[in-house]
Amino acid sequence: MENLKISLIQSDLVWENPTLNRQYFEQKIAQIGETDLIVLPEMFTTGFTMNAARFAEKSDGETFTWLQKMALAKNAAITGSFIVEEQGKFYNRMFWVNPNGSFTKYDKHHTFTLAGEDKTYSAGKQQVVLEYKHWK
């Protein structure tokens, strides 16, 4: 099995400001050397907000397109979650985007009830296991 170089970015976010957060992470990603995988925080565009209706995007919206752009630019997979609206429901949806733009998505299954996440976000129904460079 080959080595897998993983780059994690954990930082303070600009509360409920997707544009500034994407700009910030784009700068951080540009500073990363050779890597196989970039891991962004949960709800990296907004912080852990319950204002889902205000900040939700479509699955193929601006943040998803940005993730594809970052994966291509770094020739690395990238993963992180953001708020997605689909058929009137909101999801804390994680995307795994490969360097070629293909992707896998996962809707958070175990929502955080103490924060009221279960009252705002619909729980995912499927477990997702993916393989990348012979790692699962």
Side-chain angles (χ1 to χ4, degrees):
M1 182 176 294
E2 64 185 284
N3 292 330
L4 188 67
K5 186 171 183 182
I6 301 171
S7 300
L8 307 172
I9 305 176
Q10 185 66 42
S11 69
D12 291 329
L13 300 172
V14 180
W15 184 250
E16 296 183 341
N17 194 323
T19 301
L20 286 180
N21 287 314
R22 281 189 302 268
Q23 288 172 356
Y24 173 80
F25 284 111
E26 190 162 343
Q27 292 171 357
K28 291 297 183 187
I29 289 167
Q31 296 172 11
I32 296 172
E34 187 177 326
T35 192
D36 297 306
L37 171 62
I38 300 165
V39 180
L40 301 174
E42 180 179 14
M43 297 178 105
F44 71 92
T45 59
T46 58
F48 197 69
T49 182
M50 296 304 123
N51 292 323
R54 184 170 172 207
F55 296 101
E57 301 181 37
K58 296 296 182 188
S59 267
D60 60 352
E62 188 172 358
T63 298
F64 175 75
T65 302
W66 178 86
L67 285 168
Q68 287 183 310
K69 176 183 160 189
M70 294 298 100
L72 178 64
K74 292 306 285 187
N75 193 32
I78 187 167
T79 188
S81 77
F82 60 94
I83 304 165
V84 171
E85 184 275 326
E86 195 170 87
Q87 298 179 348
K89 294 182 179 181
F90 301 107
Y91 297 91
N92 180 350
R93 183 168 288 169
M94 185 208 71
F95 284 89
W96 174 288
V97 181
N98 293 303
N100 66 3
S102 65
F103 67 95
T104 302
K105 64 184 180 181
Y106 167 77
D107 293 328
K108 186 174 180 182
H109 181 74
H110 298 288
T111 54
F112 187 49
T113 56
L114 293 175
E117 187 179 17
D118 60 320
K119 293 174 180 51
T120 302
Y121 297 95
S122 296
K125 305 282 187 227
Q126 296 181 333
Q127 180 180 0
V128 176
V129 178
L130 58 90
E131 187 172 322
Y132 182 65
K133 295 194 172 194
H134 308 291
W135 291 84
K136 288 187 179 187

